[in-house]
Amino acid sequence: MPGIVLLLPVVAIVVVTIHDVVRRPTLRRLALRNVTRRRGEALLVVVGSLIATAIITASFLVGDTLGASITQMGPADEYVPAPSLARLPDIAAALSSPVPGTDGTLPVVRSGATAASVHGSPRLAEPHAAMLEVDFAAARRFGGDAGATGFAGAGSTPSGVDAVVAKDLARTLHLKRGDSVDVYAFGTRLRLRVRGVVPRLGVAGLAVQDQTNSPNVFVAPGTIARLAARPTARLASVPEAFVLVSNDGGVFSGATHSAAIRQRLEARVRPVAAVSVTTTKQDLLDGAKEASKSFTQVFAGIGAFSVIAGILLLVNIFVMLADERKSELGMLRAVGMRRNQLVRAFGIEGAIYAVLAGVAGTVSGIGIGRLIVVVAQRLFNQEERFRIQLRFAVTPHALVLGLLIGLVISLITVWATSIRVGRLNVIRAIRDVPEPHVVRRRLRTMVLSGAGMAFGLLLFASGVAGKAWFGALAGPPIALFSCIPLLSAVVPRRAVASLACVGALAWAVVAFTVLPKVFDNVDIPAFVVQGVILVSAAVALLATNADLSVHLTSRLSGAGTALAARLGLAYPVARRFRTSMLLGMYALVIFTMTFLAVFAKLFGEQGPRFSREQSAGYDVLVDSNPYDPATPQVLRAQPGVASVAPLLRAFPNFTTTYRTKPMSWPLTAFDKSFLAYGQPKLRNYAARFGSERATWQAVESTPDLAIVSDFFLRRGGGPPQNQIHPGDIFSVYEPTTGRTARLTVAGVTTSDWVFNGVMVGTPWAQSFFGKDIALARTYVRVRPGAAGEEVAARLTGGLLSHGVDARTISSIVHTRLQQNEGFFTLMEGYLVLGLLIGIAGLGVVMVRAVRERRRQIGVLRAIGFPARLVRRAFLFEAVVIAVQGVVLGMVLALIVSYQLLANSKTFNDQQLGFKVPWATLAVVLVAAMVASLVAILGPATQASRIKPAVALRIAD
Amino acid sequence: MPVTGSDILDARGVVKTYRTGALEVEALRGVDLRIPRGQYLSVMGPSGNGKTTLLNCLSGLDDIDEGTVLVEGEDIHAMADSRRTEYRAQHMGFIFQTFNLIPVFTAVENVELPLLLTGVKAGEARERSHGMLDRVGLGHRTEHRPAELSGGEQQRVAVARALVAKPAIVWADEPTGNLDSQTAKPVLELLGELHAAGQTLVVVTHDAGIGAMAERMVRVQDGRIVADGRPGEI
Ligand SMILES: Nc1ncnc2c1ncn2[C@@H]1O[C@H](COP(=O)(O)OP(=O)(O)OP(=O)(O)O)[C@@H](O)[C@H]1O
Ligand SMILES: [Mg+2]
């Protein structure tokens, strides 16, 4: 538990502090006096650390919110199927008194349908809509949190021809309250009136097969039974009835003890019917949770950079406080205060700031988190098919963690800095003399240095051996940095330190390429660690050699700007630790932003190529109602259609080496017509086939061969956890017939933008699935000269009764790419916030710097330093830090991304060309500069207004 | 005192009142003072009676409420702040009691500041500053930061800085206030040498011994000049 590790030092510090506050009135008085005597300073410290705590808390809150929102299952934890519609009430009755560990049940009836708009031209259709019957009042009670069910404002259960539609369907069909909507099911058409719209949340957002979209229509109970009972009903569409069960606890904690509860549920309904609480739907839940987990992970990774930036700000502020107090603390030591008393008095003072800032920061964090969520929601809503209903969730977990991290970092920094000051030579402290730069050859340092080296090397060796990325990535830098004290006994320190930094930098850049096996399936945290290593090595390198830049400016001649530059540079160089913290904060945020920008651009520009690779020479993809499909004959008769390739589709269960629990996944069968004009591109294929085309042809004609995409049986984004390779074997299982088969991977597609899933030959598919596989998708090639978009629009409008949804392949790819872009944009927005906070932090630090240097400014003004030069010096100082941070972050990110794209196997296969996103970078650069300037303008102007006669009287 | 046309400074009826909220402190209540070129003037008086205020007002560091201050014939309080600042850079040198130096600059960097401010080339400024530090006996400590120097050494660096641009007048406010007599000695000797070389000097002090080293002394009490003459006469 990292929480415990975080807690321990804080508990110790808190115990000591409370003891001192209660039992040591002298220490308490000293601390309180300091706080109240310098209200301005105290306020700045609190504001600065408040900002840092706020960003940390906001990061956690946003992560939780996204996690909460993506889990569309809401409160439902188990799914108990009824053998038939008629038996549903019995099952529901059996479960009416809750099974231990659960706190609610909800009977649901569901059927697939095609929904179409009634007005407008062309009419819009959604062939994968779901008709659902559920009691709204019961749904609201389900799981104990009405807000999580999606029915909070939905009113009463629909009756008659009233319907309540989910937001996804309302968007696709442009429906609003009062509109009519046609639903095609069981071979008939039902015209309904939209009474309201519910969000994609909880039961209202219940999704099957496609987790990112819930085109639901909630109808009056009994509707489905009535339609199914019609004598002419085509019963290909089987209505489903089931009971959703919610476990004790919230939306997230619920799923943990699902296995035991499943057995209890099965036992409970056994007298009624021997149903199994099927793993299929459990998988669906797992899938959604997994998707949310990987999404949250990406966010947490990105958020980690903001958190680290916040931590650096905190450290900076408290180090600054100690610096300011240095001579005073030294004075107290001189008059006989013992070291530990001094540390504790300062500890009390720091604790006061930390607690104030922690509490206020956590509260502001809620506001900031909310703001991010609102912006994110806007962004998500702009995208065509990438819609997430965000529900801002303030979880105690996030608040406590944010508060704790803020407190821990503040308290530890306060104690560490005051212990350092306490150990200073009294005189050096009073006179603010920097620690002499002697190479300490003390035995302890040497031993520690050696131990650090050994540890780093060991970490590396075990990382490489165990294919654990952390050790392999972090080991060499740890060893390198540890050897600095040891080696600087024989070689000049600057050289050793610089070399160590360069070494660490180089390693972090090339590690992924040099050890491809170790970094094969790395996760987001690896990139966070990589970024942190890169930035800290680069910042350390700059800090080690910062004095060189001073030599440079001292060569500059002339009054005015050169002098301001010299002054503006002198302070950051003299306070290297503080400067490094600020620099690191900037660089980290910019690093991540640049990295994202490179990849966003990369994917954004691949559209035409991806559609070409996907299309097999066809233009339009037609999905239609599998129970009443648009047949090839019908489609061929449509204007503009040159030829068609019909595909059969089913959704069986699969298992493979890395997923032993059965999981539902689409399967698409193709015949020779699919290969008439080419074939979709393969990333790789079994060598024995010789060519991509031969591979496709073999799969078409040979049973037991299949082509899959590289994200086969995976949910959610993020880097691949497990990859499937040609030659791998997996199992397919058809639940209705109970048949199983083993398939061999012949080839792997580069990307499956239209989600065909597992591709097999039609002959084998028909022999295996029989009547359980149906024509559901057709590739259409348009006549020369005809526009794909127009043909698609005409097909959708003209074949509405077949539930046709025709879209060009390029537009599908385009929308999918937009989703990616939207995602990237959101990430960037998130980071912009990190940057803003960094800039605000810079402002606070500079305000404090102005106060700290008031008397010096007075002297400068007295000897003839013009006011504008004072201002310019401060502006210069801030801009130098900002420019360095921005340039550092950008350059590092460009190097790493270039290196990844050029050398990493994963990306190289996709042949994504590296391109610098100049436009975005320019915007980031200018925005960061301007914002930094604005933030510093206030303090700088304040500095320039300082009156020499007044400043000179400041005793300090 | 004979009134000659070569007065470097001519102050008449200077009034300075500090206002903080409703409180008013009349720190200078009508001061007239002329300083001939090349004079070594000491300003003495009990603590809190307006010595520092006088120095600040005469040198243009602070604004005045009434009166005029002509420095080399120019009314410094009629100048805009930027012009007055420039004027200080070109014609005045300052030495304060404590925290005189910029801590992040080395001794030589501190000394060369006034030269750079008046547009002297970096190379030449460095050279002249080294020369000046030599003169104050710190030629071997030029690359040290202020915190690494003793109080007396710091003060000598401040003297070097005050003199390096060859100012018309040097102002010193308790230049040895923070030093023991042992350390103060070389600083005071330095001031004496300057005077001998023709430098105009105004030194504020409450140490009678130091005041006596000047050729003329004024006594400030209650915001007024209450005595003016040779040190021995007062
Ligand atoms: N900024 C200010 N606001 C209000 N009163 C002030 C201010 N500065 C100085 N004074 C008051 O003006 C008077 C003169 O102060 P000044 O510093 O000139 O005295 P001083 O003779 O230099 O004293 P010392 O020998 O202690 O340095 C004092 O009463 C002081 O309290
Ligand atoms: Mg004084």
Side-chain angles (χ1 to χ4, degrees), chain A residues 430-452:
Chain A
I430 292 177
R431 287 178 43 200
D432 194 13
V433 187
E435 277 291 87
H437 267 299
V438 289
V439 182
R440 271 178 291 171
R441 253 168 262 191
R442 277 186 311 179
L443 186 64
R444 198 177 64 185
T445 317
M446 295 296 113
V447 169
L448 277 178
S449 164

Side-chain angles (χ1 to χ4, degrees), chain A residues 524-592:
Chain A
I524 303 290
F527 294 103
V528 177
V529 172
Q530 185 195 26
V532 170
I533 292 176
L534 280 171
V535 168
S536 35
V539 168
L541 184 65
L542 279 184
T544 314
N545 297 293
D547 46 325
L548 298 181
S549 67
V550 175
H551 288 305
L552 219 68
T553 48
S554 70
R555 298 269 173 280
L556 291 173
S557 58
T561 311
L563 205 50
R566 192 161 156 185
L567 192 66
L569 215 55
Y571 284 95
V573 170
R575 313 247 184 271
R576 286 189 204 177
F577 182 76
R578 277 155 53 170
T579 310
S580 303
M581 294 287 115
L582 263 185
L583 203 56
M585 182 176 80
Y586 260 83
L588 263 184
V589 174
I590 299 284
F591 174 84
T592 329

